[in-house]
Amino acid sequence: MVLCVASVHCQDKAVLAEVTDGWYGVQAVLDPVLAQAHSKGRLRIGDKVACVGLRLSGVTEGVPPLTEKAEHATLMLNGNSVRRAPWDAKLGFQQRKAMFLSLSAISELGGPVGAALDVVVMRSYPMLYMETLFDGRRVMRSEKEELRISGTLVERRAALTQDLKERQLMARTKSASSARPAMSNIEACHGGKDLYDYVMYSGADSTEARQQLTGTQLEALDRYATEQQAEIEVDVAEAVDKQAPQRQVRALFKLLVCDYPSHKCKQAEASGSQLALVTVWGPRGIGPADFAEGSRFLFTGLTVSPRRAGWQQMHSHRRHQDAYLRLNFSLPGSHYRPMPADQEIVQRSEYCERGTLCIDELCHIAPGQEVDLAGSVTGCQPGQHPGQSSILHLSTTDEDGISHVALIDFPVVTYGAVSVVSGCLATVRNCVYASRAGAAPNTFHLKAGDGCELLY
């Protein structure tokens, strides 16, 4: 909808405004991005703004505008959901439901992205699994390593369950054997516990023992047996959870996207180009294969995460993941839709098709850049502990017969112990070029980030 700014004032360090649709007015709170725009004169009284995905605070449901309850209603205006509208724009609700936005116009402090994003997928990274440990630390694992760890835990829990059930059965058998009723007195027994001990622990066949019981006794027996089984299941489950607790794991995968450069509905106020790393959290029924590289998609309902502290000093190169705008796609609030793409327009975007490099070509690559590398495996030093790394040795020979070596670190905590047979050809995708060895100029060091893939 399009609103007009009727007034702006400050109150307790908050910047408040009154906006109107031409009929009624409502108080609004400006976020830091819009407050800064007002202080710089870019948002003034009388301006019209296009808004999408507005949130109403102070009331739980819609209220008539002229009632006392309406005085407590406040609109929360976020920079990523508000844009300047033309001076002649019609106030109120608009027929066009979506407002499109360029990636370079998104602010980290601007709140949820209410506008739609028309983007091209540059890179689609493999599935990852993030585990939150009991001390609050988070660990990222590849799909292969997650399957190994989860399988180990399932086997351990199954063995513990079986062992604890057997111990429970032995303990109950021992306690019941000293107090079970004699066969001559079974007709007088009506308590579920006595009947259960007689049938289960008398030494006779349980089927024959049940045939000696009356209908009333059988009902009492079955009722007690059900209660006993439920009690055992609860006790065993609690004991298993203490000895082998369940893990807190969340699946995710990442997409590197850029603007689809020709969209007539995008705001022209954003200049320059921007890349964004979209993290798809808890995907259900979708995966990296559903987002082919070079394809066009429409995203709505995304949120923004701040970039890691110090990324400008640590990774000045724009192709490092820490330098990208970070967006989050979470169901059910986020949505995506494949869109037809004109390949001529895609070629004008930031998208470039993957290309695998030989090791000697790394001398032309800036540190921190993500590359795909191919070579022959000359060795592998598997790491043994989570704090260590497995080091993969790749080698290629250039046209002059000079050998070039790449040493790629694979963190054990993410990828497990990497072991590759020497002599085979391997391709490492999405690894990050780190440095060139000074003492050995033909040796290059690389790191396997979260989205690295080893193919051989």
Side-chain angles (χ1 to χ4, degrees):
M1 64 186 305
V2 175
L3 301 173
C4 180
V5 180
S7 66
V8 181
H9 63 280
C10 297
Q11 179 179 328
D12 296 333
K13 297 184 179 180
V15 181
L16 306 180
E18 183 182 356
V19 294
T20 176
D21 64 351
W23 291 91
Y24 305 103
V26 64
Q27 182 174 264
V29 177
L30 307 185
D31 73 347
V33 174
L34 295 178
Q36 185 179 30
H38 169 67
S39 65
K40 292 183 177 181
R42 297 176 56 194
L43 182 62
R44 298 166 296 183
I45 296 175
D47 285 346
K48 292 181 179 180
V49 290
C51 309
V52 63
L54 296 178
R55 294 182 297 114
L56 195 61
S57 175
V59 293
T60 57
E61 57 185 11
V63 295
L66 299 180
T67 61
E68 184 178 351
K69 291 183 178 180
E71 297 179 359
H72 303 286
T74 303
L75 280 179
M76 311 302 294
L77 298 185
N78 299 314
N80 291 333
S81 300
V82 175
R83 282 297 176 269
R84 292 171 63 103
W87 66 270
D88 58 347
K90 184 179 179 180
L91 295 177
F93 287 102
Q94 306 297 303
Q95 290 183 351
R96 180 163 58 88
K97 297 181 179 180
M99 182 174 73
F100 291 86
L101 201 61
S102 297
L103 293 174
S104 54
I106 298 176
S107 170
E108 295 181 13
L109 303 177
V113 183
L117 304 179
D118 191 3
V119 298
V120 176
V121 176
M122 296 182 61
R123 294 291 180 265
S124 181
Y125 296 102
M127 191 73 73
L128 294 171
Y129 295 85
M130 185 180 71
E131 179 180 3
T132 302
L133 304 179
F134 298 103
D135 57 2
R137 291 182 298 116
R138 294 177 177 177
V139 176
M140 202 74 74
R141 292 191 173 92
S142 65
E143 187 169 18
K144 180 179 179 181
E145 181 67 3
E146 172 61 25
L147 290 175
R148 185 190 70 82
I149 292 179
S150 60
T152 301
L153 180 62
V154 169
E155 293 177 357
R156 184 186 176 194
R157 288 177 63 88
L160 279 173
T161 300
Q162 182 65 26
D163 180 62
L164 290 171
K165 283 185 176 180
E166 291 177 355
R167 291 186 181 183
Q168 287 265 11
L169 182 61
M170 291 177 60
R172 291 172 185 269
T173 302
K174 185 176 180 180
S175 62
S177 60
S178 59
R180 63 171 177 251
M183 186 176 296
S184 58
N185 299 329
I186 196 61
E187 294 83 358
C189 289
H190 296 284
K193 183 179 185 308
D194 292 337
L195 294 171
Y196 184 82
D197 293 343
Y198 168 72
V199 172
M200 298 300 297
Y201 311 121
S202 63
D205 183 73
S206 59
T207 303
E208 296 180 358
R210 288 179 64 91
Q211 291 176 353
Q212 301 176 16
L213 305 180
T214 63
T216 304
Q217 289 177 319
L218 287 174
E219 291 180 2
L221 170 63
D222 293 338
R223 185 166 52 252
Y224 181 81
T226 302
E227 294 173 355
Q228 283 294 102
Q229 185 63 30
E231 184 180 333
I232 292 175
E233 294 289 343
V234 170
D235 292 343
V236 169
E238 291 179 352
V240 170
D241 286 338
K242 288 181 180 180
Q243 298 184 42
Q246 293 281 12
R247 300 163 57 235
Q248 299 181 32
V249 180
R250 193 176 185 187
L252 63 105
F253 64 91
K254 299 179 181 181
L255 304 170
L256 181 62
V257 301
C258 65
D259 275 317
Y260 186 71
S262 178
H263 199 296
K264 61 182 181 180
C265 297
K266 286 183 178 178
Q267 294 287 334
E269 63 185 76
S271 59
S273 61
Q274 172 75 289
L275 305 183
L277 193 66
V278 181
T279 301
V280 183
W281 294 97
R284 296 181 181 178
I286 59 174
D290 296 307
F291 297 88
E293 296 178 358
S295 300
R296 176 189 176 193
F297 288 86
L298 197 67
F299 286 101
T300 56
L302 303 187
T303 58
V304 187
S305 292
R307 279 176 269 209
R308 297 176 184 176
W311 67 270
Q312 291 175 317
Q313 291 75 23
M314 295 171 59
H315 309 290
S316 58
H317 198 280
R318 70 186 298 270
R319 292 293 182 182
H320 193 279
Q321 287 191 7
D322 288 347
Y324 301 144
L325 175 71
R326 306 174 76 87
L327 302 175
N328 300 293
F329 180 101
S330 302
L331 296 173
S334 304
H335 304 276
Y336 78 96
R337 186 175 66 189
M339 300 288 289
D342 187 331
Q343 291 304 313
E344 293 184 359
I345 297 178
V346 171
Q347 291 176 3
R348 298 204 304 266
S349 71
E350 290 279 323
Y351 170 73
C352 58
E353 194 172 351
R354 281 185 182 270
T356 303
L357 302 180
C358 293
I359 297 175
D360 59 290
E361 295 178 280
L362 290 174
C363 61
H364 306 294
I365 302 299
Q369 188 166 351
E370 196 174 82
V371 297
D372 296 349
L373 201 64
S376 176
V377 178
T378 57
C380 185
Q381 302 172 0
Q384 302 298 328
H385 305 289
Q388 298 179 343
S389 294
S390 299
I391 301 178
L392 179 66
H393 298 245
L394 294 184
S395 175
T396 57
T397 304
D398 62 16
E399 297 176 351
D400 299 326
I402 301 176
S403 178
H404 299 266
V405 178
L407 307 178
I408 308 175
D409 290 358
F410 287 84
V412 173
V413 68
T414 301
Y415 296 96
V418 176
S419 180
V420 185
V421 179
S422 297
C424 70
L425 296 177
T427 299
V428 183
R429 303 177 68 184
N430 311 320
C431 58
V432 179
Y433 174 48
S435 63
R436 190 171 183 174
N442 295 333
T443 300
F444 302 86
H445 295 277
L446 299 96
K447 295 182 179 181
D450 293 340
C452 190
E453 289 183 284
L454 174 59
L455 308 175
Y456 57 91

